Amino acid sequence: MRLFLIIAVIIAILAIIFALQNAVPIAVTLGIWRLEISLALVLVLTLGVGVVVGLLVSVPSLMRQNWKLSHQKRHNKDLEKELNEQTQQLANQQKRIEYLENSLKFNLDYSESSESSDRDLNA
């Protein structure tokens, strides 16, 4: 982007230098009007009109790109939110699994100890 700006400035400076060196008056006809103005002014005005037209042509595509970018950012935020929710659910499920495994181990240990105490009482 910076290179593009540098090239554009160089071209503009060269056009202005060319226009100033060619300051002879010329006749410009536009429809029913006929003007006698310097070639330099015609060239600078033409350059200015070209820049304005170029900007006007590029505005719709820039607006479309900005709209797509904002849409993608919103979509990205939604996906991040969903990921965080899924991660939280996963963490909760892992805690639940650990709790159930510990409960199962406790129940197994308890049943084994009660069976051995029943055997000791029966013996």
Side-chain angles (χ1 to χ4, degrees), residues 3-95:
L3 178 65
F4 176 76
L5 183 62
I6 292 170
I7 292 172
V9 168
I10 290 172
I11 291 173
I13 290 171
L14 290 175
I16 291 170
I17 291 171
F18 177 78
L20 291 176
Q21 289 178 349
N22 294 291
V24 295
I26 60 167
V28 177
T29 305
L30 182 64
I32 59 172
W33 295 290
R34 182 174 169 87
L35 303 170
E36 290 230 3
I37 54 177
S38 72
L39 178 60
L41 186 60
V42 171
L43 291 174
V44 169
L45 288 175
T46 304
L47 179 66
V49 170
V51 168
V52 169
V53 169
L55 290 174
L56 290 176
V57 167
S58 66
V59 165
S61 102
L62 290 175
M63 289 177 62
R64 192 175 315 114
Q65 285 177 348
N66 285 339
W67 180 83
K68 284 181 181 180
L69 182 63
S70 66
H71 178 72
Q72 290 297 328
K73 284 181 180 179
R74 248 183 282 122
H75 186 63
N76 192 19
K77 284 181 182 179
D78 292 342
L79 289 175
E80 285 177 354
K81 182 179 177 183
E82 184 179 338
L83 176 64
N84 289 337
E85 290 172 358
Q86 294 291 329
T87 303
Q88 184 63 37
Q89 285 180 354
L90 180 62
N92 290 340
Q93 291 297 328
Q94 286 175 338
K95 287 179 185 177

